[in-house]
Amino acid sequence: MAQAKYTTHLGMVDILPDETRKWQALENLIRTEAEKFNFEEIRTPIMEQTELIVRGLGQLTDIVSKEIFAFSRGDDNYVLRPELTAPVVRSYVENHLDQRGGSQKLYYIGPMFRAERPQKGRQRQFHQFGVEVLGSDDAVADVEVISFMIQIYNKLGIKNTTLKINSIGDPESRDKYKEALKAYLKPNFDKLSELSKKRYEKNPLRILDSKEEEDKPFIESAPVITDYLNEASKSHYSKVKEYLTDVGILFEEDPYLVRGMDYYTQTAFELISPDLGAQDALAGGGRYDLLVEEIGGQPTPAVGFAAGMERLLIACDELGITLGDEKSVDVYIVTLGDAARRWGVSKLPELRANGHSATMDYMGRSMKAQMKDANRENASYAIIVGDNELNEGKFTFRNMKESEESSLSFDEILGKLGN
Ligand code: AMP
């Protein structure tokens, strides 16, 4: 095959028809389950103001410092959204969603963009589904968000997962911990990676998330944040664990789990799959009680998660879980001659109006080739029509799976097909 002249950008892939059926099945499942949780869908633009993402996620995060696709047009700065928490919060503030009353329980599905080095399970355009609950500081909200996340994987049969949780506390607890962490790292400051050195003053917590080899020995025996939680933070964390136990969700506590964005407070969690290899994080999230205010809204506690859809589909493949139906069509009209072709074109809408999927040849192929095509399209039935059939008003109705044929009027065929 000739090399294509135009190709997709690095790390961006086409989702082709055989794949889209899987995606649709997954999206349907997410919507059905979201409805059960009384979550409502929100859709925001693909592009946001660069300042929102920088402010929301934090200047020193990997995403902002290395991975955003940003450009300007006139005086406006655009960024392709790398995640959806900050955009949802922007929308919440801009559209005064708090005035709808109660907590806002929102979910989303859509593409995100990060200029990472592509590898299996890591793309530059990828898809996430997620939930954001705004307006509640109750641990019930944390646990509902986690329950929804787990529910999607359980429903699909991806059960071999580990839920890791941690509390990174409120600002008071975190300030105390930051001091302790800095005091611990100080004697070895010179041995830290360049990136960690940069983060040391402004955001030492991010050092715990470092992937640099030279940082690892220091991270492994660092003080743990859970020893520095104040009463309020401790109490919230205990409730989250209590409710998780009540709903039967197993978890592992990981005191070094910090997550990739600066907006997190209190609860942080990640769902890991041993079936994914290097990129083993299926989903992650946590509380972000300060973000709404940071972006210009009233103080509003909030909690959410985001899950990678490509990674979920990879896990399904690894586990032999099939998603979505095979390609198929209910009826294929096979025609011989112009009059039959005209009849066929006029009957397609009737079949569809009766609730059946229906198609015919668009390429002027021979009858034999049309039958082959009907098989390839995985048609349940074929209606075979030529001049004789048209004269008699009786058509060959073939059950393709059983290889059985009968001669029927079009109304009889509709009757057989049922509704
Ligand atoms: P994050 O928004 O970084 O917390 O990521 C949430 C989830 O999105 C991760 O656990 C992954 O499953 C998925 N994800 C993040 N970045 C990528 C990427 N570049 N390619 C594919 N999936 C990703």
Side-chain angles (χ1 to χ4, degrees):
M1 261 181 279
Q3 190 91 30
K5 185 168 172 194
Y6 301 109
T7 60
T8 56
H9 279 298
L10 179 71
M12 301 192 175
V13 302
D14 297 316
I15 304 176
L16 300 172
D18 286 331
E19 289 290 311
T20 49
R21 273 188 293 279
K22 291 186 196 170
W23 283 83
Q24 286 166 0
L26 174 58
E27 287 158 8
N28 289 340
L29 173 74
I30 294 164
R31 290 179 202 290
T32 306
E33 295 306 313
E35 213 164 284
K36 290 187 195 161
F37 276 73
N38 196 26
F39 294 153
E40 297 175 282
E41 188 181 0
I42 184 163
R43 301 184 189 195
T44 62
I46 297 293
M47 290 192 253
E48 293 284 348
Q49 292 179 357
T50 310
E51 181 58 20
L52 167 76
I53 300 299
V54 174
R55 194 69 194 267
L57 275 62
Q59 188 86 52
L60 297 180
T61 56
D62 282 352
I63 296 181
V64 169
S65 61
K66 297 190 287 204
E67 298 167 1
I68 47 176
F69 286 103
F71 61 97
S72 58
R73 193 181 153 85
D75 292 335
D76 298 320
N77 290 312
Y78 295 84
V79 62
L80 295 179
R81 59 193 203 183
E83 57 98 61
L84 223 60
T85 302
V88 168
V89 169
R90 191 262 315 134
S91 177
Y92 176 89
V93 174
E94 184 178 350
N95 298 296
H96 308 288
L97 292 186
D98 57 320
Q99 287 176 12
R100 298 174 83 221
S103 52
Q104 300 304 306
K105 302 181 277 183
L106 308 169
Y107 80 93
Y108 60 81
I109 303 175
M112 310 295 156
F113 304 84
R114 295 182 194 172
E116 296 185 84
R117 193 170 49 78
Q119 63 183 96
K120 187 171 183 189
R122 193 159 76 186
Q123 296 176 184
R124 291 188 161 191
Q125 176 172 344
F126 60 100
H127 297 76
Q128 290 183 335
F129 69 94
V131 163
E132 312 293 351
V133 173
L134 296 121
S136 166
D137 63 3
D138 196 317
V140 169
D142 306 42
V143 172
E144 280 277 276
V145 161
I146 294 173
S147 296
F148 176 75
M149 177 181 83
I150 303 265
Q151 172 84 343
I152 301 297
Y153 298 93
N154 279 350
K155 278 261 159 189
L156 290 167
I158 305 174
K159 297 197 169 153
N160 187 16
T161 56
T162 305
L163 174 67
K164 290 192 175 175
I165 63 167
N166 190 23
S167 172
I168 54 169
D170 59 8
E172 184 190 89
S173 311
R174 216 163 34 249
D175 282 348
K176 265 206 222 148
Y177 175 68
K178 277 181 192 168
E179 287 316 310
L181 184 61
K182 279 165 68 179
Y184 159 82
L185 292 170
K186 199 168 185 179
N188 294 304
F189 181 83
D190 291 339
K191 296 188 191 135
L192 293 175
S193 68
E194 285 311 307
L195 192 60
S196 291
K197 278 182 193 150
K198 260 193 227 155
R199 288 167 165 171
Y200 180 87
E201 271 310 325
K202 284 203 179 133
N203 201 343
L205 235 71
R206 294 242 52 76
I207 297 176
L208 297 179
D209 209 24
S210 165
K211 306 280 179 287
E212 312 293 322
E213 273 307 315
E214 53 263 59
D215 294 331
K216 284 201 175 137
F218 306 113
I219 298 171
E220 270 162 21
S221 45
V224 295
I225 193 158
T226 34
D227 289 342
Y228 294 82
L229 297 180
N230 60 16
E231 280 314 309
S233 299
K234 238 188 246 170
S235 149
H236 183 84
Y237 191 36
S238 303
K239 283 206 187 103
V240 169
K241 290 186 277 184
E242 219 171 271
Y243 296 159
L244 281 175
T245 309
D246 290 344
V247 293
I249 293 178
L250 300 175
F251 57 85
E252 250 177 39
E253 287 183 71
D254 177 353
Y256 296 121
L257 176 70
V258 285
R259 313 268 312 120
M261 294 74 160
D262 284 353
Y263 52 61
Y264 286 112
T265 53
Q266 309 277 12
T267 321
F269 55 87
E270 223 160 61
L271 192 69
I272 309 293
S273 162
D275 304 307
L276 282 181
Q279 300 303 320
D280 63 351
L282 282 169
R287 269 208 165 268
Y288 47 94
D289 290 342
L290 306 173
L291 183 60
V292 182
E293 202 179 356
E294 175 76 29
I295 283 176
Q298 295 300 316
T300 307
V303 58
F305 80 87
M309 295 172 74
E310 281 80 5
R311 290 192 198 171
L312 182 152
L313 292 173
I314 293 172
C316 283
D317 272 353
E318 298 288 333
L319 296 166
I321 297 166
T322 50
L323 254 182
D325 297 328
E326 292 278 297
K327 175 183 173 73
S328 70
V329 64
D330 296 331
V331 183
Y332 193 113
I333 302 181
V334 175
T335 64
L336 180 65
D338 288 344
R341 208 163 165 73
R342 201 166 163 192
W343 182 89
V345 174
S346 75
K347 292 304 177 203
L348 287 175
E350 273 191 60
L351 287 162
R352 292 167 186 155
N354 277 275
H356 311 296
S357 56
T359 191
M360 63 185 282
D361 164 64
Y362 294 177
M363 298 174 77
R365 282 175 284 200
S366 71
M367 258 185 97
K368 197 174 152 202
Q370 288 180 49
M371 286 305 292
K372 218 168 142 185
D373 196 40
N375 269 320
R376 189 171 38 224
E377 296 293 326
N378 204 8
S380 302
Y381 299 95
I383 300 173
I384 302 162
V385 48
D387 289 340
N388 288 346
E389 284 82 359
L390 281 179
N391 287 337
E392 286 165 25
K394 294 264 188 191
F395 309 91
T396 305
F397 182 58
R398 182 178 173 84
N399 181 328
M400 302 290 284
K401 308 272 145 57
E402 313 287 333
S403 300
E404 280 169 8
E405 286 185 3
S406 41
S407 183
L408 301 172
S409 72
F410 188 67
D411 282 345
E412 286 169 333
I413 289 174
L414 285 179
K416 280 254 181 194
L417 287 169
N419 278 313

